[in-house]
Amino acid sequence: MKTITCLFVGKFEPPRSSENDYFANSNCTFNFFPLNENSRLLIWYDYFNIVDDNVQCPSDNLTYTYSLYSSSKFYLYPLIYCGYRNFPPPYLTLRSTQHFRVHFRSNDDNDASLGFNGRY
């Protein structure tokens, strides 16, 4: 039987106003660096509600990018998340992931909501 040790556990969320909605014109990047080449990162969300009715998510959205130990190039994960129906499932990185980024952006309108509460 193999023992798995969890080294880091935490949460991340967008900056919020006093009304508890995320700010318009936000541009936040959350950077994660797995411990070594054999480590993996698990991302999941307790709640997720980013305003945008369009499935293409042109206004407010969340994206993932990552780089591998074998390359300095960043790769864009093909899915873009927004709305409350487009809830991101738990995401487990590849073992060779060197740098993983979660990027949240919102446009300049005043249409906002709670955003998300992410965990790792």
Side-chain angles (χ1 to χ4, degrees):
M1 181 159 64
K2 193 175 199 180
T3 302
I4 299 173
T5 304
C6 185
L7 298 174
F8 302 102
V9 176
K11 71 179 198 172
F12 59 99
E13 57 191 20
R16 292 195 169 92
S17 68
S18 58
E19 287 84 37
N20 220 13
D21 288 345
Y22 58 81
F23 291 109
N25 259 350
S26 291
N27 193 1
C28 304
T29 302
F30 304 94
N31 293 287
F32 300 92
F33 298 90
L35 191 58
N36 58 45
E37 235 176 306
N38 293 316
S39 298
R40 297 174 88 178
L41 172 69
L42 176 63
I43 300 281
W44 74 96
Y45 298 89
D46 292 331
Y47 65 83
F48 188 90
N49 191 350
I50 295 176
V51 174
D52 204 325
D53 293 334
N54 185 324
V55 292
Q56 301 294 322
C57 305
S59 299
D60 301 356
N61 61 57
L62 187 100
T63 58
Y64 298 156
T65 56
Y66 61 93
S67 69
L68 304 173
Y69 275 94
S70 60
S71 170
S72 60
K73 177 181 176 185
F74 271 87
Y75 301 93
L76 176 64
Y77 185 70
L79 299 177
I80 298 172
Y81 299 104
C82 66
Y84 63 92
R85 289 186 221 67
N86 190 8
F87 195 94
Y91 183 84
L92 184 63
T93 64
L94 301 169
R95 286 198 190 279
S96 57
T97 301
Q98 181 178 25
H99 185 178
F100 187 79
R101 296 188 297 205
V102 175
H103 185 79
F104 169 70
R105 75 167 192 86
S106 63
N107 63 8
D108 59 358
D109 67 23
N110 289 326
D111 199 13
S113 69
L114 288 176
F116 57 87
N117 185 2
R119 294 192 182 264
Y120 61 95

